[in-house]
Amino acid sequence: MKRKKEGRFTSFSFWLLFISPATSDYAPFFYDNGPKSSNGNMALFSIAEDTPVGTLVYILNGTDPEGDAVRFGLTFEKGTREYLRVDPKSGHVTLIQELDREKQGEISASVSITDGRNKVVETIRVFVTDANDERPEFQNLPYAIDVPEDTEPGVSIFRVQALDRDIGSGGSVTYYLQGISTTKFTIDNNSGVLRIKPNETLDYEASTTYFVTVLAKDGGGNYKGVHQVLTSTTTITINVLDAQDTPPSFVGAPYFGYVYEVSVPGSEIVTVFAKDGDEGNPNSIHYSIANGNFLYDFCMSVISVGLYDFCMSVISANELGPNEELLDQYAITVVTVRVVDLNNHPPTFYGENGPQTRFELTMYEHPAEGEILRGLKITVNDSDQGANAKFKLRLVGPGRVLRVVPQTVLNEAQVTIIVEDSAAIDYEKGKSLTYKLLAVEIDTPERFSATADIVIYLLDTNDNTPRFTSEFYVARIAENSPGGSSVLSVVANDPDSGLWGDVRYSIYGTGSDLFLIHPSSGVVYTQAWATLDAEVKSKYNFYVKAEDTDGKYSLAEVFVTVLDVNDHVPEFDGSLVERTMIIGAPVKVEAVDEDAESPNNVIQYSITQAEPDNIFDINAETGEIKLKPYIKSMEIVQNITKQKDCRWSLVVEARDRGSPSFSTTAVVNIDITEATQLKGSMAAFLMQSRDDPVKALGMAAGVISILVGLTVLISTAMFLRNTKSNRIVPARRIIIRRRPQSDRKPWTFSALFRGGGRRNDPSNKFTEGEAESGNVDVGNTCGTRGPRSVPQPPRAPCLPPPAGPLPPSNTRPGDRSRPRAPVPTVSGALSSKAPKRPNRGKESSASSETSKVPMSSALVSELKMRLEQKMIESNSTYY
């Protein structure tokens, strides 16, 4: 077994310390788990260069054949840098210094294992693997190249090179251009060759230098667990070399020369100068004169004076080749020479045909601000020279509308008039503008001057929008106006002239269906077929539009109010009104007028006929009818009428306050009765709610809800008490004996009708009676009967006759000697146009002589059965 151990480490140098064979002491050994294992003897172990310091990178693992404890060691050659450290007991190998593959790609060290007596040492090589931590580096910096401007597109002009010390994808480099330089140049992404783009050329005269930014980017890789791509940039300076491709040009052209009339021949007048357009490598210039009687110097081209007062000469400038030959590239200019005398001429304005003192221009209004009035061809000139020919220009007229350029002139200048205020040049404000153009010498004692009139005639443009005289219009029209009636007239003004000032009107909007507008006059009419009704709709609003021939328009809103006309008659619910009046309380009649506004729908009430006429008063505003103040009891009423049936018929008129006024009448039948003997809060409530049955029903529903809630609460309390009681109740037996059928009596309910009874008996507070009907007759109708001409609803009966005493079983001991007084009743009905419901009063009423009503035998039997079952259930707990 020892030989096998030694054979496994033939590739490593090691030393074994032997003990005497008699002791049988074997040396410890490492486990060899292969290169991909993280524990063992670190054979062929590799570590990434971006591993953080302090990381556990490996575990040395081995054993001793005798089972003794082993310790581990890790040493480096003397003078080398120690990157790793091992814990002797656990064998944990930790990184203690940062790694850099580009500086040291392999670490040599020795690992050892010992049991205290024998020690095994092995030499290891730790390989450092690459991480993407290096940026591409450009070589041979800086980059500056010279390129002729006539270099052909697509030609290679330079090659950049960048190296990345990483390996793999992180060491590959690609190239890109950045910035505006990409418009002229292109670079090969792989080779780094820089070229001029196809269809692009260099121009020395446009730009002499280009700065091209090159970006070098590696292929990317992991660094500390994150994928990253590293880049570097550099700048290439490209100097464009000039080529002979541009002709010469004169500097300062055109040229003007001035000479005094006293000048001698040979005097210098003006110097022209031309330069080669190829400034990087210019050629010499040769000047020549094409006409005139002038001498010239070969290089300086000094023009001398001749014998003429005025002349124009053409000067040519040609480039010279290497052998002083004339090349085809040349330039020409015109030199104007004017002979001037002393200050004996004032400034003069010139037009196209010579001197001129009046300039006229026709143009459209509102030119753009800053626009030059090119129609004015004005030149100003002072024939003198030097200071004598220096003068100022001024424009005299409406301020800050136009300005003149230049303001200071030497000798001669083209006069330019520029618009400053476009809004002031308005045809509607004035059809023409007049200015004085003034030229005054500055530095001469004579202060010669000149003036010229500038007249500008304006042409109109459609620059104004039609404007209504108001943003909105309010109109009123009566509802009975016939179709085609005029409502109102709208006016819009457009100050433009001609067709542009013509305004056409139109109307639109959701409320415009019933209206139309005259397109020229702006008069708004109702449609011929339109019918206005204030009760249906009284407010209309729509828009009117004023538009010129160019489509410019403005809007205004129109509000039309339909005035109400008194065209409806007040109407009662019916021609016959039934009311029951309790003494001291009024009754009310009400009519409705369907007109939309007051006073047409305001109604006044009056009694037009009553007999006698001193019984009732009516409130003219509310329609409440009440008795005269002196009538306070039924005795007074009976004294007036002497009839038992106290019923009056009145004719009530309802008249509106419109003009003309309309009215209608209705017959009101009133039954007079006295208040019942109700007392207390409930009586007051019933009196208050007699005209509002919904209120009474709500009160009844509330009382019923409270009673139901109390019943549920009491039942719940009793149930809880019975369930929680632990008392033992002796069983009791209740025997219910049924009576023989012959002994049973039918159940009856006693109801009091119009009959006798005791005054304090609650059942006798109200009595029922059959409604009676009679003739419709104005005045007192108590006790009268006759043939009916109009169907009448049931009316209240008169006071009933005294009734007999109650049966002895229902009388109280203290009330036997007191007879029951009759109680007056309240009854009545209101006739309407709606179909009448069948009168159930006759079906449910009974004769005043009847005092008992037998119940249905089936209903009585069912009630008795339920009562008996209820008693049995309540006593079942005691059995």
Side-chain angles (χ1 to χ4, degrees), residues 393-407:
L393 291 177
R394 287 182 57 194
L395 197 60
V396 181
R400 296 187 177 275
V401 178
L402 302 175
R403 64 185 175 94
V404 62
V405 175
Q407 294 183 351

Side-chain angles (χ1 to χ4, degrees), residues 425-444:
I425 305 176
D426 192 348
Y427 177 86
E428 286 72 31
K429 295 179 180 179
K431 297 183 180 180
S432 64
L433 297 173
T434 302
Y435 286 87
K436 286 283 188 182
L437 183 58
L438 180 63
V440 181
E441 291 180 350
I442 299 174
D443 298 327
T444 63

Side-chain angles (χ1 to χ4, degrees), residues 76 109 347 596 706 827:
F76 294 85
I706 294 173
S827 65

Side-chain angles (χ1 to χ4, degrees), residues 38 160 320 571 658 686:
S38 61
V160 297
L320 294 176
E571 293 184 0
L686 292 176

